[in-house]
């Protein structure tokens, strides 16, 4: 015969039911599943679980009605009933008292809390069977046994006020979480707007750079771009003709004349065939491919100088 403690789980959500089943079976409980209150009563007609854990909101029969039906049956009236609640309405505790349920577990629950609450229920069930003759009450809580005498009305008032306070704290936490979520959504929106702005600016800069390159390439003057170290980064067709080298051969090589600062001066360019060229060179600073650079514009003044 199986000596495991049997728990009847009544839950219409397959995901929640599977999670409860897995958690309990990992700790040596025997689990039976029912999808609603009607199915749970059919199961209990054939055998008796040690504890019933039931969701409240279910089709066909909710958790409160199930609890009332269990209590109305002499064969099951003493079975502990633990209801699952989202803890949103103080009236839940009134309905639980009316249905004669024993305990609550709030959603979302943790494994540690669920197991401690089950232990609490099972130990207190045994203590109720051994109630002292003086009418006092013994309970097991947080690993210790307590005995006290209390008026039932006082106990209900205390229970309701405690539950109401817990709901208030829960609502405050929910509002704080909503505010945090709102801030996160606003930050996400701002990040998306910033990313879009950067993309648009990059697109415009890329387009502007492409237009700039076309202007340089189609210029009748020789245009050469060098970095701060005097290394060629760009040369237009006119520069290729003047220097008698292709742009591919010129790029990543130094020029035969220095280009180091904003200035206007004359430079002489030797030619393999014929007299050298004399050019007026104007230099301005710029940014080329995200790096500081100089643009040298060379205009042929050979004829003018000879004249």
């Amino acid at each position: 015969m199986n000596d495991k403690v049997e728990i009847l789980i009544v839950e219409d959500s397959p995901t929640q039911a599977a999670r409860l089943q897995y958690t309990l079976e990992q700790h040596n409980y025997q689990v039976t599943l029912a999808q609603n209150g009607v199915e749970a009563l059919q199961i209990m007609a054939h055998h008796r679980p040690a504890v019933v854990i039931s969701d409240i909101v279910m089709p066909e029969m909710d958790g409160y009605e199930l609890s009332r039906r269990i209590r109305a049956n002499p064969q099951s009236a003493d079975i502990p009933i633990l209801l699952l609640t989202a803890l949103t309405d103080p009236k839940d505790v009134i309905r639980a008292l009316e249905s004669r349920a024993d305990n609550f577990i709030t959603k979302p629950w943790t494994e540690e809390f669920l197991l401690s609450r089950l232990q609490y229920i099972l130990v207190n069930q045994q203590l109720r069977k051994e109630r002292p003759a003086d009418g006092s009450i013994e309970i097991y809580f947080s690993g210790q046994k307590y005995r006290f005498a209390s008026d039932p009305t006082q106990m209900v008032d205390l229970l309701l006020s405690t539950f109401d306070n817990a709901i208030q704290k829960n609502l405050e936490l929910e509002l704080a979480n909503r505010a945090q979520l709102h801030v996160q959504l606003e930050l996400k929106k701002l990040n998306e707007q910033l990313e879009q702005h950067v993309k648009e600016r990059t697109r415009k800069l890329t387009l502007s750079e492409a237009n700039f390159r076309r202007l340089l390439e189609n210029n009748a003057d020789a245009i050469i771009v060098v970095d701060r170290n005097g290394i060629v980064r760009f040369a237009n067709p006119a520069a290729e003709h003047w220097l008698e080298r292709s742009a591919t051969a010129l790029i990543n090589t130094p020029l035969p004349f220095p280009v180091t600062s904003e200035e206007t001066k004359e430079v002489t360019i030797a030619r393999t065939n014929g007299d050298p060229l004399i050019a007026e060179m104007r230099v301005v600073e710029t940014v080329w491919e995200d790096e500081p650079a100089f643009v040298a514009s060379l205009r042929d003044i050979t004829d003018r100088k000879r004249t």
Side-chain angles (χ1 to χ4, degrees):
M1 183 172 178
N2 194 335
D3 57 356
K4 292 182 179 180
V5 174
E6 181 182 355
I7 309 294
L8 174 60
I9 295 174
V10 191
E11 172 63 75
D12 62 320
S13 167
T15 303
Q16 293 294 326
R19 183 186 173 210
L20 280 165
Q21 181 179 15
Y22 176 80
T23 300
L24 294 174
E25 288 181 345
Q26 288 293 106
H27 291 83
N28 207 39
Y29 287 100
Q30 180 180 338
V31 175
T32 303
L33 296 178
Q35 294 184 350
N36 54 60
V38 174
E39 185 176 334
L41 292 176
Q42 292 173 349
I43 292 173
M44 294 179 69
H46 298 90
H47 66 276
R48 172 191 172 94
V51 179
V52 175
I53 299 178
S54 175
D55 190 15
I56 293 178
V57 181
M58 295 181 295
E60 297 191 48
M61 182 186 297
D62 64 19
Y64 297 128
E65 180 61 24
L66 173 62
S67 180
R68 283 191 285 268
R69 296 283 187 91
I70 293 173
R71 290 287 179 260
N73 185 346
Q75 302 300 319
S76 59
D78 61 338
I79 296 177
I81 302 169
L82 193 158
L83 297 178
L84 300 175
T85 176
L87 194 65
T88 58
D89 188 347
K91 293 181 180 177
D92 286 348
V93 72
I94 299 294
R95 299 186 185 100
L97 288 170
E98 290 176 341
S99 67
R100 299 176 64 191
D102 294 273
N103 222 306
F104 279 104
I105 290 182
T106 59
K107 296 180 179 179
W109 49 267
T110 64
E111 177 179 326
E112 180 181 2
F113 184 76
L114 171 68
L115 296 173
S116 67
R117 187 53 57 90
L118 274 176
Q119 182 186 27
Y120 168 88
I121 289 173
L122 293 170
V123 171
N124 281 320
Q125 183 186 33
Q126 183 62 33
L127 289 176
R128 288 187 186 119
K129 294 178 180 179
E130 303 169 357
R131 176 172 293 185
D134 61 4
S136 61
I137 298 174
E138 286 188 333
I139 64 168
Y140 179 85
F141 183 75
S142 297
Q144 294 185 358
K145 185 187 294 186
Y146 298 88
R147 174 183 292 185
F148 58 91
S150 181
D151 178 72
T153 302
Q154 178 205 3
M155 294 176 62
V156 172
D157 286 343
L158 180 61
L159 176 63
L160 287 174
S161 63
T162 302
F163 191 79
D164 191 31
N165 182 68
I167 289 177
Q168 182 61 36
K169 296 297 183 183
N170 193 55
L171 290 175
E172 291 173 1
L173 180 60
E174 183 179 353
L175 289 174
N177 289 336
R178 288 181 180 178
Q180 183 179 12
L181 179 61
H182 177 72
V183 171
Q184 291 174 345
L185 291 175
E186 287 297 316
L187 286 175
K188 181 180 178 182
K189 182 179 179 181
L190 289 174
N191 284 333
E192 290 174 350
Q193 291 175 349
L194 179 60
E195 289 177 4
Q196 185 60 34
H197 176 72
V198 171
K199 288 179 181 178
E200 182 63 20
R201 186 171 183 274
T202 302
R203 185 190 69 81
K204 290 180 178 180
L205 288 174
T206 302
L207 181 60
S208 176
E209 182 178 330
N211 291 334
F212 184 46
R213 282 178 178 267
R214 282 195 292 270
L215 288 173
L216 297 183
E217 289 171 353
N218 296 321
N219 201 302
D221 294 337
I223 305 294
I224 302 168
V225 179
V226 299
D227 62 20
R228 289 301 180 93
N229 297 317
I231 303 301
V232 177
R233 296 304 179 198
F234 171 84
N236 72 348
E240 291 178 304
H241 175 70
W242 282 31
L243 299 174
E244 299 179 317
R245 295 173 65 188
S246 67
T248 303
L250 285 168
I251 289 175
N252 294 326
T253 65
L255 284 175
F257 47 86
V259 179
T260 57
S261 62
E262 291 193 1
E263 59 183 348
T264 299
K265 66 179 182 178
E266 292 181 5
V267 296
T268 301
I269 302 172
R271 305 277 289 176
T272 56
N273 296 310
D275 295 332
L277 292 175
I278 301 174
E280 182 182 70
M281 181 175 70
R282 298 175 183 271
V283 180
V284 296
E285 290 191 29
T286 187
V287 174
W288 189 265
E289 296 177 345
D290 298 326
E291 296 292 337
F294 297 104
V295 178
S297 172
L298 296 95
R299 177 164 295 179
D300 186 358
I301 59 171
T302 305
D303 292 340
R304 189 177 75 190
K305 294 294 292 186
R306 287 173 181 169
T307 301

